[in-house]
mmCIF file of all heavy atoms in Angstrom:
data_model
loop_
_atom_site.group_PDB
_atom_site.id
_atom_site.type_symbol
_atom_site.label_atom_id
_atom_site.label_comp_id
_atom_site.label_asym_id
_atom_site.label_seq_id
_atom_site.Cartn_x
_atom_site.Cartn_y
_atom_site.Cartn_z
ATOM 1 N N TRP O 273 -26.210 28.342 -0.189
ATOM 2 C CA TRP O 273 -25.494 27.117 0.161
ATOM 3 C C TRP O 273 -26.261 25.884 -0.326
ATOM 4 O O TRP O 273 -25.661 24.934 -0.823
ATOM 5 C CB TRP O 273 -25.264 27.056 1.677
ATOM 6 C CG TRP O 273 -24.118 27.921 2.103
ATOM 7 C CD1 TRP O 273 -24.147 29.256 2.395
ATOM 8 C CD2 TRP O 273 -22.755 27.516 2.234
ATOM 9 N NE1 TRP O 273 -22.900 29.709 2.714
ATOM 10 C CE2 TRP O 273 -22.024 28.672 2.632
ATOM 11 C CE3 TRP O 273 -22.076 26.316 2.077
ATOM 12 C CZ2 TRP O 273 -20.642 28.629 2.863
ATOM 13 C CZ3 TRP O 273 -20.711 26.276 2.303
ATOM 14 C CH2 TRP O 273 -20.004 27.417 2.687
ATOM 15 N N GLU O 274 -27.565 25.913 -0.194
ATOM 16 C CA GLU O 274 -28.356 24.780 -0.671
ATOM 17 C C GLU O 274 -28.249 24.644 -2.192
ATOM 18 O O GLU O 274 -28.188 23.531 -2.727
ATOM 19 C CB GLU O 274 -29.809 24.955 -0.237
ATOM 20 C CG GLU O 274 -29.994 24.791 1.277
ATOM 21 C CD GLU O 274 -31.400 25.121 1.747
ATOM 22 O OE1 GLU O 274 -32.146 25.777 0.978
ATOM 23 O OE2 GLU O 274 -31.738 24.742 2.874
ATOM 24 N N LYS O 275 -28.198 25.783 -2.904
ATOM 25 C CA LYS O 275 -28.016 25.740 -4.356
ATOM 26 C C LYS O 275 -26.643 25.184 -4.723
ATOM 27 O O LYS O 275 -26.500 24.424 -5.691
ATOM 28 C CB LYS O 275 -28.196 27.143 -4.940
ATOM 29 C CG LYS O 275 -29.639 27.616 -4.997
ATOM 30 C CD LYS O 275 -29.739 28.980 -5.678
ATOM 31 C CE LYS O 275 -31.185 29.416 -5.854
ATOM 32 N NZ LYS O 275 -31.299 30.735 -6.518
ATOM 33 N N LEU O 276 -25.605 25.574 -3.961
ATOM 34 C CA LEU O 276 -24.257 25.058 -4.216
ATOM 35 C C LEU O 276 -24.219 23.541 -4.054
ATOM 36 O O LEU O 276 -23.666 22.822 -4.899
ATOM 37 C CB LEU O 276 -23.256 25.710 -3.263
ATOM 38 C CG LEU O 276 -21.817 25.187 -3.349
ATOM 39 C CD1 LEU O 276 -21.176 25.604 -4.668
ATOM 40 C CD2 LEU O 276 -20.980 25.681 -2.174
ATOM 41 N N LEU O 277 -24.829 23.048 -2.977
ATOM 42 C CA LEU O 277 -24.857 21.603 -2.750
ATOM 43 C C LEU O 277 -25.622 20.900 -3.865
ATOM 44 O O LEU O 277 -25.207 19.838 -4.355
ATOM 45 C CB LEU O 277 -25.494 21.302 -1.389
ATOM 46 C CG LEU O 277 -24.762 21.848 -0.153
ATOM 47 C CD1 LEU O 277 -25.574 21.604 1.107
ATOM 48 C CD2 LEU O 277 -23.381 21.235 -0.014
ATOM 49 N N GLY O 278 -26.733 21.498 -4.268
ATOM 50 C CA GLY O 278 -27.531 20.891 -5.335
ATOM 51 C C GLY O 278 -26.803 20.888 -6.669
ATOM 52 O O GLY O 278 -26.871 19.917 -7.431
ATOM 53 N N LYS O 279 -26.087 21.974 -6.976
ATOM 54 C CA LYS O 279 -25.362 22.077 -8.240
ATOM 55 C C LYS O 279 -24.351 20.948 -8.395
ATOM 56 O O LYS O 279 -24.165 20.405 -9.494
ATOM 57 C CB LYS O 279 -24.662 23.427 -8.306
ATOM 58 C CG LYS O 279 -23.788 23.619 -9.546
ATOM 59 C CD LYS O 279 -23.090 24.965 -9.524
ATOM 60 C CE LYS O 279 -22.161 25.122 -10.713
ATOM 61 N NZ LYS O 279 -21.448 26.437 -10.685
ATOM 62 N N PHE O 280 -23.679 20.587 -7.290
ATOM 63 C CA PHE O 280 -22.654 19.540 -7.349
ATOM 64 C C PHE O 280 -23.194 18.167 -6.930
ATOM 65 O O PHE O 280 -22.428 17.211 -6.805
ATOM 66 C CB PHE O 280 -21.469 19.923 -6.471
ATOM 67 C CG PHE O 280 -20.600 20.993 -7.072
ATOM 68 C CD1 PHE O 280 -20.845 22.335 -6.803
ATOM 69 C CD2 PHE O 280 -19.559 20.669 -7.929
ATOM 70 C CE1 PHE O 280 -20.052 23.333 -7.363
ATOM 71 C CE2 PHE O 280 -18.756 21.652 -8.490
ATOM 72 C CZ PHE O 280 -19.013 22.995 -8.209
ATOM 73 N N GLY O 281 -24.516 18.095 -6.703
ATOM 74 C CA GLY O 281 -25.129 16.808 -6.358
ATOM 75 C C GLY O 281 -24.670 16.245 -5.030
ATOM 76 O O GLY O 281 -24.490 15.024 -4.884
ATOM 77 N N ILE O 282 -24.476 17.130 -4.029
ATOM 78 C CA ILE O 282 -23.957 16.697 -2.731
ATOM 79 C C ILE O 282 -25.081 16.152 -1.852
ATOM 80 O O ILE O 282 -26.075 16.847 -1.600
ATOM 81 C CB ILE O 282 -23.257 17.861 -1.996
ATOM 82 C CG1 ILE O 282 -22.218 18.524 -2.903
ATOM 83 C CG2 ILE O 282 -22.629 17.365 -0.702
ATOM 84 C CD1 ILE O 282 -21.123 17.621 -3.359
ATOM 85 N N ASN O 283 -24.930 14.930 -1.384
ATOM 86 C CA ASN O 283 -25.890 14.311 -0.459
ATOM 87 C C ASN O 283 -25.514 14.677 0.973
ATOM 88 O O ASN O 283 -24.393 14.420 1.403
ATOM 89 C CB ASN O 283 -25.876 12.794 -0.650
ATOM 90 C CG ASN O 283 -26.739 12.063 0.372
ATOM 91 O OD1 ASN O 283 -27.652 12.647 0.942
ATOM 92 N ND2 ASN O 283 -26.444 10.790 0.580
ATOM 93 N N VAL O 284 -26.433 15.282 1.711
ATOM 94 C CA VAL O 284 -26.165 15.613 3.118
ATOM 95 C C VAL O 284 -27.153 14.887 4.032
ATOM 96 O O VAL O 284 -27.502 15.387 5.099
ATOM 97 C CB VAL O 284 -26.231 17.136 3.368
ATOM 98 C CG1 VAL O 284 -25.061 17.839 2.718
ATOM 99 C CG2 VAL O 284 -27.560 17.722 2.881
#
Side-chain angles (χ1 to χ4, degrees):
W273 281 85
E274 290 173 343
K275 285 184 175 180
L276 176 69
L277 297 174
K279 176 182 177 181
F280 285 91
I282 308 299
N283 174 23
V284 290

